Amino acid sequence: MRIFLPLPSRLDNAAAFSLIEVLVVVAVAAILMALAVPATSNLMAANNVTRAGQQLNDQIALARQLASTRGQSVRVVFYKPDSTNFSAIQLLGGEGFSNALTRPAVFPETFALVPDLSPLLNKIAGNTNSSGNTRIAGQADVQGLYLTIRANGRVEPALVSGTDNYVTVARNPGTGFLTNNFTAVAIDPLNARTTIYRP
């Protein structure tokens, strides 16, 4: 009795991958992933600095709007939630600025205000009526610097337009090294309108 084994067809050979082909595909995928990680990291850092600057701008604009619509002063408090960097903002109003008007806004990741590049903070820090410990959202007293936006839009302490009216937010501000990843927000001392500067 003869047994005939079927011969492999060309279709069976075409459907398989060789080991070399699989290794080439894996190597190309690894190279593409290695190239994509730094680009993604830079994109995320740029996104975060934009978000931090926008958050700062939005809080000041909201304070101006609340002061105008309520007809009473609103305090913008920059404070250190971790006792290290000014990385959070809270809006306070009411009698003696004892009521929280918004939830605390905390900058993303390691972003914070840069004191050396924020003349507004230095102006506030030099004014004993605009610095000191303050109670934020039910927490214990935290170190804060604050400015007040009046119902007519004026900012206190009084600012000089174009010289001491901006704050800068960047990543890792304590390192003393500032790249082009920062955002500066200028505040008009007469009407509290904000302008964002981004390199």
Side-chain angles (χ1 to χ4, degrees):
M1 171 182 235
R2 287 183 174 178
I3 298 177
F4 292 101
L5 296 173
L7 295 173
S9 70
R10 288 181 187 231
L11 185 59
D12 292 338
N13 286 341
F17 293 106
S18 70
L19 180 61
I20 292 175
E21 289 172 327
V22 172
L23 290 175
V24 168
V25 169
V26 169
V28 168
I31 290 170
L32 289 176
M33 287 175 56
L35 293 174
V37 167
T40 304
S41 176
N42 289 342
L43 181 63
M44 288 176 61
N47 236 5
N48 283 336
V49 76
T50 300
R51 194 171 77 200
Q54 192 63 50
Q55 195 172 19
L56 174 62
N57 181 71
D58 290 349
Q59 289 297 310
I60 296 169
L62 179 59
R64 181 176 66 83
Q65 181 183 9
L66 289 172
S68 174
T69 57
R70 292 175 175 226
Q72 57 183 283
S73 300
V74 173
R75 179 170 283 175
V76 179
V77 181
F78 306 101
Y79 69 97
K80 300 179 178 182
D82 58 0
S83 302
T84 306
N85 294 311
F86 289 102
S87 59
I89 305 169
Q90 174 81 51
L91 302 183
L92 303 176
E95 187 69 34
F97 301 107
S98 58
N99 299 333
L101 300 178
T102 61
R103 293 183 359 190
V106 180
F107 295 133
E109 287 186 7
T110 57
F111 285 86
L113 298 178
V114 184
D116 294 342
L117 296 174
S118 299
L120 176 59
L121 289 185
N122 296 328
K123 172 88 173 181
I124 295 171
N127 185 333
T128 55
N129 293 328
S130 299
S131 61
N133 288 347
T134 186
R135 183 170 292 279
I136 298 294
Q139 298 178 16
D141 289 347
V142 294
Q143 183 181 359
L145 298 174
Y146 33 89
L147 59 90
T148 303
I149 299 177
R150 300 291 178 197
N152 64 5
R154 287 207 172 268
V155 179
E156 293 179 1
L159 306 176
V160 179
S161 182
T163 58
D164 60 357
N165 63 338
Y166 66 91
V167 289
T168 303
V169 62
R171 187 176 195 165
N172 299 320
T175 61
F177 177 72
L178 189 64
T179 64
N180 59 354
N181 262 350
F182 69 90
T183 301
V185 177
I187 304 169
D188 189 316
L190 300 177
N191 57 22
R193 291 191 187 276
T194 56
T195 307
I196 297 179
Y197 296 96
R198 180 92 165 78

